[in-house]
Amino acid sequence: MSRNDNIFGGDFLSAASYHNFTRGQAPVILTVQTDNLVAYQVDTSDVSKYATNPSVTPAAPFRNFTPATPIGDIVSVNGEVTKGLYASRVASILASPTPDPTQGGAIADSTHGSIRQHIFEVLKTDGTAIGTIIALGMNAGAAPGSPSGVTGDWALVGGTGAFLGVRGQMGNGGNPVAPRSASVVEDPGNRRANGGGKSAWVLTLFPMFRPQIVVTPEGPAVTHSKGFALVSASRPASPGELLSLFMTGLGPTQPGVDPGKPFPASPAQLVNSPVGVRVNGEQAEVLEAVGIPGAIDGYRVDFRIPPDTAKGVATVQVSAAWIPGIPVSFPVY
């Protein structure tokens, strides 16, 4: 019996009951900060001039139906420093009950400047891809149910990687520095040097899967790392102790396995997404998060209880790619 199997009687899933459904659960709010945001407007029909001028190149006077391609850098998610590419496609419509004839505005019952597609490709700071989220809709206004201060009406229509199958809605949470408009003639290779705007995007998403600590017939699969005995009233955890959690829903791994295939014994399958563990709301040190050999959607997370954790009943909650699971309780004495 391997050290990963001993609390489950040799079979990770058959000895444990668990759920990973999102129906009825609260949505996850992700605030994605972007920097160096520049909207390149197609203001010439001479394709030979595209992306040729290394200097800041203002766009020509704007008219309705002018297409644009905004590009920016993802710099943080929920305040955590990260990397990534933000890219968008904009089709202007300038819709309004009182359209501006000087720009060729469109008559409509509501006010929207454009139809827009957003793509957020989120990376770790080392450049490892975490996943991509895609949104479609119109700017201005706000979708019913949006967080306060958010404008825009975009539907989250899916994602990849850690965000596979997400649904929800999205809006703009503010532009501390307005995005810069540039001619399509400007070379985007100098975007960071030439500078751009800063924007916050607020995503209200319902993920297809969430990280969740397995619940066995004897209780949550919170174990002592040495021997993997379940933490219980008769064998409580201690502040500062190294514990292991047995999980589902942590998503893709590295080097990776094909969908629906069990994790191999070698090489070790490290969870691809950022994994966080909180004990009583305090961030704990995560030592390792790996797929369990032979399991499909079965993982082990090793973490250290914060040394200042109060004795008594503690809660532990795991997140992956900023998506939190349901907390469980365990004794600390």
Side-chain angles (χ1 to χ4, degrees):
M1 185 178 297
S2 75
R3 73 190 199 103
N4 289 322
D5 292 337
N6 56 4
I7 68 167
F8 298 111
D11 187 330
F12 180 83
L13 295 180
S14 67
S17 62
Y18 68 97
H19 66 86
N20 210 354
F21 302 106
T22 59
R23 184 177 299 172
Q25 294 184 353
V28 175
I29 306 295
L30 299 186
T31 299
V32 181
Q33 299 282 350
T34 55
D35 200 354
N36 302 310
L37 182 56
V38 180
Y40 298 93
Q41 295 183 11
V42 180
D43 55 359
T44 178
S45 59
D46 188 348
V47 177
S48 68
K49 294 182 178 180
Y50 283 16
T52 57
N53 192 335
S55 303
V56 172
T57 313
F62 180 82
R63 290 289 297 178
N64 200 9
F65 305 134
T66 299
T69 302
I71 302 174
D73 300 316
I74 296 173
V75 295
S76 71
V77 177
N78 286 0
E80 183 177 334
V81 175
T82 187
K83 288 185 176 181
L85 172 65
Y86 166 79
S88 180
R89 284 288 192 181
V90 176
S92 299
I93 55 174
L94 300 184
S96 170
T98 56
D100 183 352
T102 66
Q103 291 187 315
I107 187 71
D109 294 326
S110 57
T111 301
H112 295 284
S114 64
I115 302 168
R116 192 163 179 174
Q117 175 190 45
H118 302 264
I119 302 174
F120 299 87
E121 183 190 38
V122 185
L123 312 175
K124 292 182 179 179
T125 55
D126 64 3
T128 301
I130 297 171
T132 297
I133 300 175
I134 298 173
L136 298 173
M138 296 186 289
N139 77 332
S146 292
S148 59
V150 169
T151 60
D153 187 358
W154 293 289
L156 300 182
V157 297
T160 67
F163 308 114
L164 177 67
V166 295
R167 292 292 186 269
Q169 61 190 36
M170 186 195 88
N172 179 273
N175 300 312
V177 179
R180 181 170 64 84
S181 294
S183 169
V184 74
V185 170
E186 181 176 318
D187 184 356
N190 294 325
R191 176 176 54 83
R192 291 173 180 168
N194 290 338
K198 300 178 183 288
S199 295
W201 307 95
V202 181
L203 285 62
T204 304
L205 60 87
F206 291 85
M208 180 179 289
F209 56 89
R210 296 177 185 246
Q212 192 54 53
I213 298 168
V214 168
V215 177
T216 77
E218 289 75 36
V222 182
T223 75
H224 301 275
S225 286
K226 186 176 182 179
F228 296 107
L230 283 172
V231 172
S232 62
S234 60
R235 300 189 66 173
S238 302
E241 183 183 354
L242 181 64
L243 299 182
S244 295
L245 302 170
F246 290 83
M247 306 283 309
T248 62
L250 295 185
T253 56
Q254 294 181 314
V257 296
D258 289 341
K261 298 295 185 181
F263 295 122
S266 181
Q269 296 293 315
L270 305 179
V271 174
N272 189 67
S273 300
V275 175
V277 175
R278 290 187 175 273
V279 177
N280 292 342
E282 181 181 352
Q283 193 71 49
E285 177 189 6
V286 177
L287 285 79
E288 189 174 51
V290 297
I292 295 174
I296 300 172
D297 190 30
Y299 308 82
R300 192 191 77 245
V301 176
D302 298 335
F303 74 101
R304 191 174 303 279
I305 302 176
D308 58 352
T309 300
K311 294 184 178 181
V313 177
T315 60
V316 59
Q317 183 179 38
V318 178
S319 64
W322 305 279
I323 298 171
I326 299 172
V328 301
S329 299
F330 67 101
V332 177
Y333 290 104

